[in-house]
Structure formats: structure tokens, C-alpha cells
């Protein structure tokens, strides 16, 4: 619904037009706040359209033993075109460290299972093969977490590949610095392995996760003990949001390194494109709420970093559902404002990020038109 306005905003940015003019143009003819007054049943209305999954990030798990330096979790579902290249890149590591690969066939219906099984038979000493019915990405990762015996853990998607120094680069820094999270640099590749983009970190031995880390679970080594009481909420789209609320706040020392260690394949059939116009995209809002509830249950303090992240996340949640009917969008906006007020009271939280102040103001004032404008312009 608002894609045209986003396109106009992008063009005006290129022309370096004044911000006040951009706000006027982007907001032209949008519904004003006074056009609708929603009651407290907005969440129920959304639930009747697309119910929220029941999954939670809370679990009680203890790592029984440490046999490896690194456990590599690789969930796979119908990726027969790419999975062999992915596994080969994990096997062909130039490293002094000992690592295991946990392959999970998540109910694939193509040739993926056979490929995984063949590799596990060929390399039985450091590959674990798990075969299960389809549980989704979260369900596959969660099952694999029960088999982890590495001091550190990393996640790899099966349509991606890693460099030959993937293990060495991450673990050398992790051990030398006694780090909780180490994140490397990465490249974006297309379906033909051509490099589209490179995203390079500076070397930084003490970073703020919310200001420095990429929002993907891959490309990082996590201290395994961080996940003892954490899992990926099952049934949701956008399950990766878990790490921002449950994982990052637990890390005391986070390091970024400039070495390119990961190659992420841009998939035209990925969730970003596949979710457009689908009511299941409401999961983006649902999982944010679930994770905030989980933080309360686990007595995790909600601080300024999580508040700033939640403000920007709410804008992202809205943009992910922007193609839905406007009545759904207005109900979602009402739920967003109620969620912000519930978990981050205005008398306690005020953003320190100048780029988020107008967005914050629109939420506190329940101003739908301004919220849409600032989401588009963020």
C-alpha cells in the first residue's frame, strides 16, 4: 500500500530535498489520527485474521559436555541445488580448531536428504545427521541445539557458503579475547555465485551489539553457554529477532573482525519477497511482543538499547505488513502503540537516538499518519 510513497521518498533523498518537504509529500492524503478510534480489541482482531504462533524463546537446556571448539548448526529444507556447496565449504576448513557439523534434514521433499546423508556417511567423525519431519527453521535449529558439544556455536544457512578461514578467523579471536560473540564480515552473492555486495567490519574488540552487529544469526560465533536457556520461537516467521532480545543482552564481550568469512546468497524466493501481502507477515509484530513477554518472565531488564531497537523494530514490523488492508494496518498500529506503552512507559523511557525521536513522538501521541510517514522515511 505504501510502496509508492517509499519510492517517492527514495527519489527525494537522491535530490536532497528538505526534510519538511519530504514529510509533506510522503504524508499527503494519508488518513489522519482522527479518522479512526480503535478499542482495546485490536489484538483480537489481528488474531482473527492470522493467529499468533505459540512458540517461546524460553527453554531449560544444559550442555552435557564439550568435545569441540565449535559446533556448526546447518538446518536444511529443499535446498538440493545449493546444499552440497555449503557442506563442502564447511568441510574444507583451514584451521587448527576442532569442530563438528550438525546437519538437520527438516522434512525435505527434494534430494536434500540424500545429499546430507551421503556427507554424514563420508565424514562420520565430525558430522551428525538428524532426520525429522518438517518443523520449520526454528524447530530444526532447536533440535540441533540438543546435540551441541562445542565451546562455541555458529549457524549456517544451506544456500550460503563460508570461506576456508571461517572457523579459524572466528575462533582465534574468540579464544584470545575470551569473547561471548565474534562476528565477521560477509559478502552478498547471487544465484550464480557472483558477488553483489561486500559488508566489511572494522576490527573492534568491545562493541555495542545494537550498534555494530548485523541482524542475522549467521556469520557469528556465540559462546554456547549463552543459549542454555534460549531457543528460537517455533511457528513464527522472522524468528531471528530472538537474538536481539534474548541473546545479545547476555553477551559481555562482543568483537567484530574485518575478515570476510561468510557468503550470503540473495534468494529471490526468500521470506522477504515471499511474505509480501500475506497476513502471516503479522508474525513480525507477534514475535516482537512474545519476546518482550519472555524478557519479563525471565526478569531481563529492558534498557535504552532495547527500547531504541524496539522503536526501529516496530517501524520494520509495519513495513513488512504495508501491503495488507488498511484496517489491518490501523489495528496493527494500535497494538504497536499499546505494546510500547506497556513495556516502555513514557515516564521512564525516552529515546537518545535523534533519528527515532519523531517516530517515538508519533507512537506516544497515537498519531497514525505521522507514524506511517516516519516509518517510510526512517
Amino acid at each position: 500500500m505504501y510502496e509508492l510513497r517509499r519510492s517517492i521518498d527514495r527519489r527525494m533523498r537522491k535530490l536532497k530535498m528538505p526534510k519538511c518537504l519530504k514529510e509533506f509529500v510522503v504524508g499527503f492524503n494519508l488518513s489522519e489520527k482522527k479518522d479512526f478510534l480503535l478499542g482495546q480489541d485490536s489484538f483480537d482482531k489481528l488474531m482473527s485474521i492470522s493467529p499468533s504462533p505459540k512458540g517461546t524463546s524460553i527453554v531449560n537446556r544444559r550442555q552435557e559436555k564439550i568435545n569441540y571448539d565449535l559446533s556448526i548448526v546447518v538446518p536444511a529444507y529443499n535446498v538440493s541445488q545449493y546444499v552440497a556447496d555449503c557442506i563442502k565449504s564447511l568441510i574444507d576448513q583451514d584451521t587448527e580448531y576442532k569442530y563438528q557439523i550438525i546437519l538437520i534434514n527438516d522434512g525435505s521433499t527434494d534430494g536434500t536428504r540424500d545429499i546430507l546423508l551421503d556427507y554424514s556417511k563420508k565424514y562420520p567423525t565430525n558430522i551428525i545427521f538428524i532426520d525429522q519431519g518438517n518443523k520449520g527453521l526454528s524447530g530444526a535449529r532447536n533440535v540441533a541445539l540438543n546435540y551441541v558439544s562445542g565451546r562455541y556455536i555458529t549457524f549456517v544457512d544451506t544456500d550460503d557458503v563460508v570461506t576456508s578461514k571461517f572457523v579459524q578467523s572466528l575462533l582465534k579471536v574468540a579464544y584470545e579475547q575470551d569473547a561471548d560473540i565474534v562476528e565477521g564480515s560477509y559478502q552478498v552473492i547471487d544465484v550464480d555465485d557472483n558477488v553483489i555486495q561486500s559488508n566489511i567490519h572494522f576490527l573492534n574488540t568491545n562493541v555495542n551489539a545494537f550498534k555494530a552487529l548485523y541482524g542475522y544469526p549467521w556469520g557469528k560465533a556465540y559462546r554456547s553457554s549463552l543459549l542454555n536457556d534460549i531457543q528460537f520461537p517455533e511457528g513464527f516467521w522472522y524468528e531471528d529477532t530472538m537474538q536481539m532480545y534474548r541473546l545479545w543482552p547476555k553477551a559481555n564481550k562482543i568483537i567484530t573482525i574485518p575478515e570476510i568469512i561468510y557468503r550470503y546468497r540473495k534468494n529471490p524466493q526468500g521470506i522477504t519477497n515471499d511474505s509480501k501481502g500475506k497476513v502471516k507477515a503479522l508474525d513480525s509484530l507477534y514475535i516482537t511482543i512474545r519476546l518482550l513477554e519472555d524478557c519479563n518472565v525471565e526478569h531481563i531488564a529492558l534498557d535504552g538499547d532495547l527500547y531504541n531497537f524496539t522503536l526501529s523494530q516496530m517501524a520494520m514490523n509495519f513495513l513488512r505488513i504495508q501491503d495488507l488492508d488498511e484496517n489491518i494496518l490501523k489495528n496493527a498500529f494500535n497494538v504497536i502503540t499499546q505494546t510500547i506503552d506497556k513495556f516502555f512507559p513514557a515516564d521512564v523511557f525516552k529515546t537518545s537516538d535523534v533519528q527515532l525521536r519523531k517516530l517515538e513522538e508519533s507512537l506516544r501521541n497515537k498519531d497514525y499518519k505521522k507514524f506511517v510517514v516516519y516509518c517510510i522515511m526512517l
Side-chain angles (χ1 to χ4, degrees), residues 1 11 27 31 53 56 97 99 128 145 149 157 159 166 188 200 208 218 226 260 263 268 290 302 316 326 344 374 378:
M1 179 178 292
R11 292 177 185 176
S31 297
T56 175
Y97 298 101
Y99 63 96
I128 295 175
L145 288 174
S149 59
D157 290 350
D159 45 1
F166 174 74
V188 181
I200 310 297
N208 180 312
W218 44 257
L226 293 178
I260 294 174
R263 293 195 172 99
R290 176 60 49 77
L302 302 178
M316 175 64 72
E326 190 163 17
F344 302 97
Y374 299 137
L378 193 62

Side-chain angles (χ1 to χ4, degrees), residues 34-46:
K34 63 184 180 181
D35 289 343
F36 66 100
L37 293 172
L38 299 175
Q40 296 300 310
D41 61 348
S42 289
F43 188 78
D44 292 336
K45 290 179 180 178
L46 295 183

Side-chain angles (χ1 to χ4, degrees), residues 1-2 7 25 58 69 78 154 220 222 225 234 281 319 367:
M1 179 178 292
Y2 298 119
S7 177
V25 174
I58 300 172
D69 296 300
N78 287 357
T154 189
K220 304 172 179 66
Y222 305 90
S225 58
E234 296 187 25
L319 292 175
D367 193 324

Side-chain angles (χ1 to χ4, degrees), residues 135-169:
K135 293 185 177 182
L137 184 55
S138 291
R141 286 173 175 164
N142 289 341
V143 169
L145 288 174
N146 295 319
Y147 293 83
V148 166
S149 59
R151 190 173 303 278
Y152 285 89
I153 182 174
T154 189
F155 300 94
V156 174
D157 290 350
T158 39
D159 45 1
D160 304 335
V161 293
V162 301
T163 67
S164 62
K165 292 289 187 179
F166 174 74
V167 174
Q168 183 70 19
S169 297

Side-chain angles (χ1 to χ4, degrees), residues 181-332:
I181 302 175
V182 180
E183 179 176 85
S185 303
Y186 75 97
Q187 293 176 325
V188 181
I189 60 176
D190 62 18
V191 293
D192 298 314
D193 297 330
N194 299 308
V195 176
I196 302 172
Q197 178 183 340
S198 295
N199 297 279
I200 310 297
H201 275 308
F202 291 108
L203 174 62
N204 196 322
T205 56
N206 192 14
V207 303
N208 180 312
F210 292 94
K211 295 179 180 179
L213 296 187
Y214 304 125
Y216 313 105
W218 44 257
K220 304 172 179 66
Y222 305 90
R223 192 187 301 274
S224 295
S225 58
L226 293 178
L227 287 104
N228 281 345
D229 59 353
I230 298 175
Q231 65 179 358
F232 291 88
E234 296 187 25
F236 291 91
W237 284 358
Y238 314 107
E239 66 286 320
D240 293 348
T241 313
M242 174 278 290
Q243 61 179 334
M244 291 77 165
Y245 288 92
R246 299 294 322 281
L247 194 50
W248 290 4
K250 293 178 67 176
N252 293 317
K253 190 167 188 179
I254 301 170
I255 297 174
T256 57
I257 59 175
E259 289 85 358
I260 294 174
I261 58 154
Y262 198 94
R263 293 195 172 99
Y264 165 75
R265 193 181 307 277
K266 191 170 184 179
N267 188 347
Q269 276 75 51
I271 190 172
T272 301
N273 293 317
D274 190 52
S275 63
K276 288 182 179 180
K278 295 185 179 179
V279 293
K280 178 69 172 169
L282 284 166
D283 279 9
S284 186
L285 174 56
Y286 293 154
I287 197 168
T288 304
I289 297 171
R290 176 60 49 77
L291 290 166
L292 287 167
E293 292 171 343
D294 287 353
C295 285
N296 274 358
V297 172
E298 294 292 281
H299 306 291
I300 298 170
L302 302 178
D303 60 13
D305 284 333
L306 269 176
Y307 176 53
N308 286 341
F309 174 77
T310 302
L311 288 175
S312 60
Q313 182 64 27
M314 288 304 188
M316 175 64 72
N317 294 343
F318 188 83
L319 292 175
R320 284 170 172 165
I321 62 172
Q322 64 176 304
D323 296 317
L324 301 180
D325 180 84
E326 190 163 17
N327 286 328
I328 298 177
L329 299 184
K330 290 179 177 179
N331 276 290

Side-chain angles (χ1 to χ4, degrees), residues 78-98:
N78 287 357
V79 282
S80 58
Q81 181 180 356
Y82 303 114
V83 67
D85 288 340
C86 175
I87 300 172
K88 187 175 186 301
S89 73
L90 294 172
I91 292 170
D92 294 340
Q93 289 294 300
D94 181 10
T95 182
E96 66 193 90
Y97 298 101
K98 187 179 179 183

